[in-house]
Amino acid sequence: MLYLTLLVGLVLIVMTTKLTQKFNLSGIWLIVGQISASLIIVLFGDLEVSYINQIELGLLAIPFSLLFLVGFTNVMNIEKEQQPLILLLPCISLLCLSIAALLMGYTFASISGLFAVLTIMLFASISGKKTLGRTFTTSIGFVIAVLSLSLLKLSFITIYIPIFTLALPLVIYLFLQNRLTSAQSMIISASVAVLFGLLMFVIPFNIIWDLVVGATVILAISQFSRKYRFI
């Protein structure tokens, strides 16, 4: 059922984004579409996080899941258009999600993640565009958000993956973009993503949790700056 709800959610995301751009509608309709797509995942895909480190969320489970999904759906939409180089970051994040899901025996996330990587690579190879539109980047963000949330149900520590292999490297990329060339900025940010991705599989979970908490605080503070905002 999750495969179907993911597909339906993606179609809704694409349609909402396209219609908003075509008719020059308010950005609030983008959020409405993303919330609707997220509700489909949560309600019909039965995908929500009920516990955080043994703490029951109760009535906050659905709001938390929606906030997570909408927040990471927009993680790559800091600007309306992005350079194709930025596709390297979601590919690294999706590969980490797929490997983690494979090790945890979770077929949905491992298969969907690998399929998403292949789709991104195919798009990058056949597309002649110099920049990426909001529709494509939002769709990638939505897939990563759904796969991340599905792994959070198994182990909340997997929130490490989208934060350290996508959100944090993306912030680094945007910070360096005006100081170095796009290629140099991407090499550095991608190296950070790969490094943290590898660390996830070799360091103890308690240390990872400290990193998650610290990075979450930093990213939350960064939301006060319009330049680095993704929620």
Side-chain angles (χ1 to χ4, degrees):
M1 188 63 178
L2 263 177
Y3 291 104
L4 179 60
T5 53
L6 176 58
L7 179 60
V8 173
L10 272 174
V11 171
L12 186 56
I13 290 285
V14 171
M15 288 179 59
T16 304
T17 308
K18 288 291 188 183
L19 289 173
T20 301
Q21 292 177 329
K22 182 177 181 179
F23 296 103
N24 198 26
L25 301 176
S26 169
I28 190 66
W29 291 106
L30 289 174
I31 301 299
V32 170
Q34 292 166 13
I35 292 175
S36 300
S38 299
L39 276 173
I40 291 173
I41 292 291
V42 171
L43 299 179
F44 297 100
D46 191 28
L47 187 61
E48 65 179 53
V49 175
S50 302
Y51 295 89
I52 297 179
N53 280 10
Q54 310 303 321
I55 300 175
E56 185 175 358
L57 291 177
L59 296 176
L60 294 177
I62 291 180
F64 172 83
S65 300
L66 290 178
L67 179 63
F68 183 92
L69 287 171
V70 174
F72 274 98
T73 294
N74 290 285
V75 73
M76 294 180 61
N77 285 329
I78 297 175
E79 297 177 353
K80 290 186 178 181
E81 294 184 336
Q82 302 286 355
Q83 296 297 320
L85 278 173
I86 208 168
L87 290 177
L88 185 57
L89 293 181
C91 281
I92 294 172
S93 186
L94 285 165
L95 282 174
C96 289
L97 285 168
S98 297
I99 294 172
L102 187 63
L103 294 176
M104 299 167 76
Y106 191 43
T107 306
F108 167 73
S110 59
I111 293 178
S112 299
L114 290 175
F115 183 78
V117 171
L118 292 175
T119 301
I120 292 173
M121 293 175 63
L122 179 62
F123 177 88
S125 64
I126 66 177
S127 176
K129 295 182 179 179
K130 294 183 179 180
T131 56
L132 302 174
R134 182 176 289 247
T135 303
F136 190 64
T137 53
T138 303
S139 300
I140 294 174
F142 182 70
V143 172
I144 291 177
V146 172
L147 299 188
S148 298
L149 189 66
S150 68
L151 287 186
L152 293 189
K153 289 188 66 175
L154 303 180
S155 174
F156 192 77
I157 200 68
T158 54
I159 196 175
Y160 172 98
I161 300 175
I163 290 177
F164 280 89
T165 63
L166 182 61
L168 185 60
L170 182 59
V171 170
I172 293 173
Y173 172 74
L174 293 171
F175 177 76
L176 295 175
Q177 206 171 22
N178 296 327
R179 295 165 174 78
L180 303 172
T181 66
S182 293
Q184 291 172 330
S185 302
M186 180 51 60
I187 290 173
I188 293 173
S189 57
S191 299
V192 170
V194 171
L195 173 62
F196 279 115
L198 293 175
L199 287 177
M200 178 187 66
F201 300 105
V202 298
I203 64 178
F205 275 1
N206 62 319
I207 297 179
I208 289 181
W209 179 247
D210 291 338
L211 290 173
V212 167
V213 173
T216 303
V217 171
I218 294 173
L219 290 173
I221 294 174
S222 72
Q223 301 313 290
F224 291 103
S225 171
R226 186 177 183 85
K227 182 176 180 181
Y228 304 117
R229 186 176 302 157
F230 61 87
I231 294 178

